[in-house]
């Protein structure tokens, strides 16, 4: 009788575990689908304020929509990264089989999740900074809020860690996103704390923040979402990964020269 009861309990636990696997897998796929859908909206919306007259109602409207969509990308990205780091076996059960080394599979999933978390922080910092600069302008106290300084510092530390790991593993995406995070965090902190600013410096910072988030979004798409499209293109694939950053930095440099005075 006792043995029969024990078998029933074990069978129930086993069923609950299987159902848990299924539920978490479905939840993760729903978050992923939302992340992709919102990301496509953000990539599309990016161009409307970019080519609208600065300060116009159209520029402000599409800029706000872009910000909202990017926050959605950030939230879904952080959720996916956190779940993949904490419970990789539950959110990606299909990757774990008897035919593979599950420890290596887990390590690969966690590495990708850490990179996604870094990219989510980068996007959050860039978008929030761009919006704060617009509202703060010459009054930089809002940029010195504890939350903004916290996420900016987190981005700096994350960028250093990602870059260091990328050098060890020769991981090209880490070698791209690590320095990008370091660059964005340091330039943001420089503007926040430098003694004197010119009257229109805030405009350059505002545009730079949003362009920085665009660099992250387009690079992420070409690196993660578009990697299957360019998988056999060799150096062309690498060029597509690097292109958004190069174009974005040149665009920021051009705008800095244009609005510096």
């Amino acid at each position: 009788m006792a043995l029969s009861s024990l078998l029933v309990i074990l069978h129930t636990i086993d069923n609950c575990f299987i159902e848990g696997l299924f539920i978490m897998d479905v939840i993760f796929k729903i978050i992923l689908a939302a992340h992709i859908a919102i990301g496509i909206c953000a990539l599309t919306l990016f161009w409307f304020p970019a080519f609208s007259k600065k300060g116009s109602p159209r520029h402000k409207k599409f800029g706000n929509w872009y910000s909202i969509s990017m926050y959605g990308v950030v939230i879904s990205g952080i959720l996916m990264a956190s779940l993949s780091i904490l419970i990789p076996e539950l959110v990606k059960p299909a990757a774990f089989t008897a035919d593979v080394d599950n420890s290596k599979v887990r390590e690969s999933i966690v590495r990708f999740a850490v990179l996604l978390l870094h990219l989510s922080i980068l996007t959050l910092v860039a978008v929030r900074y761009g919006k704060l600069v617009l509202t703060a302008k010459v009054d930089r106290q809002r940029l010195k809020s504890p939350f903004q300084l916290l996420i900016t510092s987190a981005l700096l530390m994350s960028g250093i860690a990602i870059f260091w790991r990328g050098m060890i593993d020769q991981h090209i995406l880490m070698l791209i996103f690590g320095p990008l995070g370091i660059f964005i965090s340091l330039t943001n902190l420089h503007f926040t704390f430098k003694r004197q600013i010119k009257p229109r410096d805030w405009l350059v910072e505002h545009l730079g923040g949003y362009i920085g988030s665009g660099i992250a979004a387009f690079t992420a798409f070409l690196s993660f979402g578009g990697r299957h499209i360019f998988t056999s293109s060799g150096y062309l694939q690498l060029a597509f990964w690097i292109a958004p950053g190069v174009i974005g930095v040149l665009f920021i440099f051009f705008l800095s020269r244009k609005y510096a005075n």
Side-chain angles (χ1 to χ4, degrees):
M1 187 71 177
L3 179 60
S4 177
S5 299
L6 179 60
L7 289 174
V8 170
I9 293 172
L10 291 174
H11 181 69
T12 303
I13 293 173
D14 186 54
N15 285 340
C16 291
F17 180 73
I18 293 173
E19 290 177 4
L21 284 175
F22 175 74
I23 292 172
M24 290 308 303
D25 184 35
V26 171
I27 291 174
F28 187 83
K29 287 178 179 177
I30 291 173
I31 298 173
L32 175 60
H35 181 76
I36 294 172
I38 299 170
I40 291 173
C41 290
L43 292 177
T44 304
L45 287 168
F46 173 81
W47 300 105
F48 288 91
F51 290 100
S52 300
K53 183 179 179 181
K54 305 301 177 282
S56 67
R58 176 185 173 89
H59 178 83
K60 293 178 181 178
K61 178 178 69 174
F62 282 108
N64 286 331
W65 288 358
Y66 172 74
S67 297
I68 293 171
S69 63
M70 288 301 283
Y71 284 136
V73 170
V74 168
I75 292 171
S76 56
I78 290 176
L79 284 174
M80 288 194 301
S82 300
L83 290 173
S84 297
I85 292 170
L86 296 174
I87 48 173
E89 292 87 353
L90 293 181
V91 297
K92 295 186 177 181
F96 295 89
T97 66
D99 300 328
V100 298
D101 186 341
N102 287 332
S103 62
K104 290 185 178 180
V105 172
R106 186 180 298 107
E107 181 182 351
S108 177
I109 292 174
V110 171
R111 183 190 295 115
F112 178 86
V114 168
L115 186 57
L116 177 60
L117 182 61
H118 168 71
L119 186 58
S120 298
I121 297 172
L122 189 158
T123 304
L124 173 62
V125 170
V127 172
R128 196 169 190 273
Y129 176 80
K131 197 167 185 66
L132 281 178
V133 169
L134 180 63
T135 56
K137 295 187 178 179
V138 293
D139 180 11
R140 290 172 288 164
Q141 282 304 120
R142 294 187 181 184
L143 299 176
K144 299 175 184 178
S145 67
F147 180 72
Q148 186 64 21
L149 292 178
L150 175 64
I151 59 175
T152 305
S153 300
L155 176 61
L156 177 59
M157 291 185 289
S158 175
I160 294 172
I162 290 291
F163 180 58
W164 174 75
R165 191 67 197 183
M167 291 185 67
I168 293 176
D169 296 340
Q170 289 299 296
H171 194 286
I172 185 63
L173 296 184
M174 289 184 171
L175 293 174
I176 292 173
F177 288 125
L180 182 59
I182 295 170
F183 173 77
I184 289 176
S185 58
L186 288 179
T187 53
N188 289 8
L189 290 171
H190 173 70
F191 177 79
T192 300
F193 289 103
K194 72 177 183 178
R195 290 187 177 182
Q196 294 182 335
I197 58 173
K198 297 178 181 179
R200 302 186 74 181
D201 278 355
W202 64 269
L203 179 57
V204 176
E205 295 298 312
H206 164 66
L207 296 174
Y210 276 73
I211 293 170
S213 69
I215 292 173
F218 280 98
T219 307
F221 168 74
L222 293 172
S223 302
F224 300 148
R227 70 184 185 276
H228 300 297
I229 301 174
F230 310 114
T231 187
S232 61
S233 56
Y235 288 108
L236 181 61
Q237 182 184 36
L238 179 61
F240 274 110
W241 289 352
I242 297 175
V246 173
I247 294 172
V249 170
L250 290 175
F251 199 17
I252 292 173
F253 177 77
F254 168 76
L255 290 175
S256 299
R257 296 288 299 271
K258 181 178 179 179
Y259 294 112
N261 300 311

PDB file of all heavy atoms in Angstrom, residues 61-75:
ATOM      1  N   LYS A  61       6.272  63.098 -31.962  1.00  0.00           N
ATOM      2  CA  LYS A  61       5.323  61.990 -31.896  1.00  0.00           C
ATOM      3  C   LYS A  61       6.002  60.663 -32.178  1.00  0.00           C
ATOM      4  O   LYS A  61       5.880  59.718 -31.386  1.00  0.00           O
ATOM      5  CB  LYS A  61       4.187  62.222 -32.899  1.00  0.00           C
ATOM      6  CG  LYS A  61       3.158  61.098 -32.938  1.00  0.00           C
ATOM      7  CD  LYS A  61       2.028  61.418 -33.917  1.00  0.00           C
ATOM      8  CE  LYS A  61       2.517  61.400 -35.355  1.00  0.00           C
ATOM      9  NZ  LYS A  61       1.397  61.579 -36.322  1.00  0.00           N
ATOM     10  N   PHE A  62       6.735  60.598 -33.282  1.00  0.00           N
ATOM     11  CA  PHE A  62       7.382  59.339 -33.622  1.00  0.00           C
ATOM     12  C   PHE A  62       8.543  59.029 -32.675  1.00  0.00           C
ATOM     13  O   PHE A  62       8.854  57.851 -32.431  1.00  0.00           O
ATOM     14  CB  PHE A  62       7.860  59.366 -35.072  1.00  0.00           C
ATOM     15  CG  PHE A  62       6.764  59.152 -36.066  1.00  0.00           C
ATOM     16  CD1 PHE A  62       6.302  60.201 -36.853  1.00  0.00           C
ATOM     17  CD2 PHE A  62       6.169  57.910 -36.214  1.00  0.00           C
ATOM     18  CE1 PHE A  62       5.276  60.007 -37.773  1.00  0.00           C
ATOM     19  CE2 PHE A  62       5.153  57.704 -37.125  1.00  0.00           C
ATOM     20  CZ  PHE A  62       4.701  58.760 -37.908  1.00  0.00           C
ATOM     21  N   GLY A  63       9.177  60.077 -32.138  1.00  0.00           N
ATOM     22  CA  GLY A  63      10.230  59.864 -31.145  1.00  0.00           C
ATOM     23  C   GLY A  63       9.685  59.208 -29.888  1.00  0.00           C
ATOM     24  O   GLY A  63      10.309  58.300 -29.323  1.00  0.00           O
ATOM     25  N   ASN A  64       8.494  59.652 -29.444  1.00  0.00           N
ATOM     26  CA  ASN A  64       7.862  59.047 -28.267  1.00  0.00           C
ATOM     27  C   ASN A  64       7.466  57.597 -28.547  1.00  0.00           C
ATOM     28  O   ASN A  64       7.641  56.716 -27.694  1.00  0.00           O
ATOM     29  CB  ASN A  64       6.629  59.855 -27.853  1.00  0.00           C
ATOM     30  CG  ASN A  64       7.003  61.162 -27.177  1.00  0.00           C
ATOM     31  OD1 ASN A  64       8.051  61.261 -26.540  1.00  0.00           O
ATOM     32  ND2 ASN A  64       6.147  62.162 -27.303  1.00  0.00           N
ATOM     33  N   TRP A  65       6.926  57.352 -29.716  1.00  0.00           N
ATOM     34  CA  TRP A  65       6.542  55.975 -30.071  1.00  0.00           C
ATOM     35  C   TRP A  65       7.765  55.077 -30.130  1.00  0.00           C
ATOM     36  O   TRP A  65       7.701  53.914 -29.712  1.00  0.00           O
ATOM     37  CB  TRP A  65       5.808  55.969 -31.416  1.00  0.00           C
ATOM     38  CG  TRP A  65       4.432  56.547 -31.364  1.00  0.00           C
ATOM     39  CD1 TRP A  65       3.784  57.018 -30.261  1.00  0.00           C
ATOM     40  CD2 TRP A  65       3.539  56.736 -32.469  1.00  0.00           C
ATOM     41  NE1 TRP A  65       2.535  57.492 -30.605  1.00  0.00           N
ATOM     42  CE2 TRP A  65       2.357  57.324 -31.959  1.00  0.00           C
ATOM     43  CE3 TRP A  65       3.609  56.486 -33.833  1.00  0.00           C
ATOM     44  CZ2 TRP A  65       1.264  57.652 -32.763  1.00  0.00           C
ATOM     45  CZ3 TRP A  65       2.528  56.807 -34.643  1.00  0.00           C
ATOM     46  CH2 TRP A  65       1.369  57.374 -34.108  1.00  0.00           C
ATOM     47  N   TYR A  66       8.851  55.605 -30.664  1.00  0.00           N
ATOM     48  CA  TYR A  66      10.090  54.832 -30.727  1.00  0.00           C
ATOM     49  C   TYR A  66      10.580  54.489 -29.322  1.00  0.00           C
ATOM     50  O   TYR A  66      10.966  53.344 -29.054  1.00  0.00           O
ATOM     51  CB  TYR A  66      11.154  55.617 -31.489  1.00  0.00           C
ATOM     52  CG  TYR A  66      12.529  54.991 -31.444  1.00  0.00           C
ATOM     53  CD1 TYR A  66      12.817  53.852 -32.192  1.00  0.00           C
ATOM     54  CD2 TYR A  66      13.540  55.529 -30.643  1.00  0.00           C
ATOM     55  CE1 TYR A  66      14.069  53.264 -32.146  1.00  0.00           C
ATOM     56  CE2 TYR A  66      14.788  54.955 -30.603  1.00  0.00           C
ATOM     57  CZ  TYR A  66      15.056  53.829 -31.346  1.00  0.00           C
ATOM     58  OH  TYR A  66      16.303  53.246 -31.291  1.00  0.00           O
ATOM     59  N   SER A  67      10.527  55.478 -28.423  1.00  0.00           N
ATOM     60  CA  SER A  67      10.965  55.252 -27.043  1.00  0.00           C
ATOM     61  C   SER A  67      10.143  54.153 -26.379  1.00  0.00           C
ATOM     62  O   SER A  67      10.688  53.250 -25.733  1.00  0.00           O
ATOM     63  CB  SER A  67      10.849  56.542 -26.223  1.00  0.00           C
ATOM     64  OG  SER A  67      11.687  57.547 -26.737  1.00  0.00           O
ATOM     65  N   ILE A  68       8.826  54.236 -26.542  1.00  0.00           N
ATOM     66  CA  ILE A  68       7.938  53.247 -25.934  1.00  0.00           C
ATOM     67  C   ILE A  68       8.227  51.846 -26.467  1.00  0.00           C
ATOM     68  O   ILE A  68       8.308  50.870 -25.707  1.00  0.00           O
ATOM     69  CB  ILE A  68       6.466  53.628 -26.184  1.00  0.00           C
ATOM     70  CG1 ILE A  68       6.118  54.917 -25.425  1.00  0.00           C
ATOM     71  CG2 ILE A  68       5.533  52.494 -25.752  1.00  0.00           C
ATOM     72  CD1 ILE A  68       4.756  55.496 -25.779  1.00  0.00           C
ATOM     73  N   SER A  69       8.402  51.744 -27.772  1.00  0.00           N
ATOM     74  CA  SER A  69       8.675  50.432 -28.371  1.00  0.00           C
ATOM     75  C   SER A  69      10.017  49.888 -27.902  1.00  0.00           C
ATOM     76  O   SER A  69      10.161  48.680 -27.638  1.00  0.00           O
ATOM     77  CB  SER A  69       8.644  50.515 -29.901  1.00  0.00           C
ATOM     78  OG  SER A  69       9.660  51.372 -30.387  1.00  0.00           O
ATOM     79  N   MET A  70      11.011  50.750 -27.731  1.00  0.00           N
ATOM     80  CA  MET A  70      12.313  50.295 -27.266  1.00  0.00           C
ATOM     81  C   MET A  70      12.259  49.846 -25.813  1.00  0.00           C
ATOM     82  O   MET A  70      12.957  48.901 -25.416  1.00  0.00           O
ATOM     83  CB  MET A  70      13.356  51.397 -27.443  1.00  0.00           C
ATOM     84  CG  MET A  70      13.750  51.640 -28.895  1.00  0.00           C
ATOM     85  SD  MET A  70      14.425  50.168 -29.721  1.00  0.00           S
ATOM     86  CE  MET A  70      16.074  50.127 -29.059  1.00  0.00           C
ATOM     87  N   TYR A  71      11.417  50.502 -24.999  1.00  0.00           N
ATOM     88  CA  TYR A  71      11.242  50.039 -23.620  1.00  0.00           C
ATOM     89  C   TYR A  71      10.632  48.639 -23.611  1.00  0.00           C
ATOM     90  O   TYR A  71      10.960  47.805 -22.770  1.00  0.00           O
ATOM     91  CB  TYR A  71      10.362  51.002 -22.829  1.00  0.00           C
ATOM     92  CG  TYR A  71      11.074  52.278 -22.420  1.00  0.00           C
ATOM     93  CD1 TYR A  71      10.468  53.517 -22.538  1.00  0.00           C
ATOM     94  CD2 TYR A  71      12.360  52.240 -21.886  1.00  0.00           C
ATOM     95  CE1 TYR A  71      11.109  54.689 -22.169  1.00  0.00           C
ATOM     96  CE2 TYR A  71      13.025  53.396 -21.510  1.00  0.00           C
ATOM     97  CZ  TYR A  71      12.392  54.621 -21.650  1.00  0.00           C
ATOM     98  OH  TYR A  71      13.042  55.764 -21.285  1.00  0.00           O
ATOM     99  N   GLY A  72       9.719  48.395 -24.563  1.00  0.00           N
ATOM    100  CA  GLY A  72       9.155  47.049 -24.695  1.00  0.00           C
ATOM    101  C   GLY A  72      10.218  46.032 -25.065  1.00  0.00           C
ATOM    102  O   GLY A  72      10.220  44.906 -24.548  1.00  0.00           O
ATOM    103  N   VAL A  73      11.122  46.407 -25.954  1.00  0.00           N
ATOM    104  CA  VAL A  73      12.239  45.541 -26.330  1.00  0.00           C
ATOM    105  C   VAL A  73      13.124  45.247 -25.112  1.00  0.00           C
ATOM    106  O   VAL A  73      13.553  44.116 -24.891  1.00  0.00           O
ATOM    107  CB  VAL A  73      13.078  46.189 -27.453  1.00  0.00           C
ATOM    108  CG1 VAL A  73      14.366  45.417 -27.689  1.00  0.00           C
ATOM    109  CG2 VAL A  73      12.269  46.263 -28.740  1.00  0.00           C
ATOM    110  N   VAL A  74      13.371  46.284 -24.320  1.00  0.00           N
ATOM    111  CA  VAL A  74      14.218  46.133 -23.130  1.00  0.00           C
ATOM    112  C   VAL A  74      13.582  45.181 -22.118  1.00  0.00           C
ATOM    113  O   VAL A  74      14.238  44.260 -21.609  1.00  0.00           O
ATOM    114  CB  VAL A  74      14.471  47.513 -22.476  1.00  0.00           C
ATOM    115  CG1 VAL A  74      15.086  47.346 -21.083  1.00  0.00           C
ATOM    116  CG2 VAL A  74      15.381  48.358 -23.353  1.00  0.00           C
ATOM    117  N   ILE A  75      12.304  45.395 -21.812  1.00  0.00           N
ATOM    118  CA  ILE A  75      11.621  44.564 -20.814  1.00  0.00           C
ATOM    119  C   ILE A  75      11.595  43.102 -21.247  1.00  0.00           C
ATOM    120  O   ILE A  75      11.924  42.196 -20.468  1.00  0.00           O
ATOM    121  CB  ILE A  75      10.188  45.088 -20.580  1.00  0.00           C
ATOM    122  CG1 ILE A  75      10.236  46.458 -19.900  1.00  0.00           C
ATOM    123  CG2 ILE A  75       9.389  44.100 -19.718  1.00  0.00           C
ATOM    124  CD1 ILE A  75       8.894  47.146 -19.817  1.00  0.00           C
TER     125      ILE A  75
END
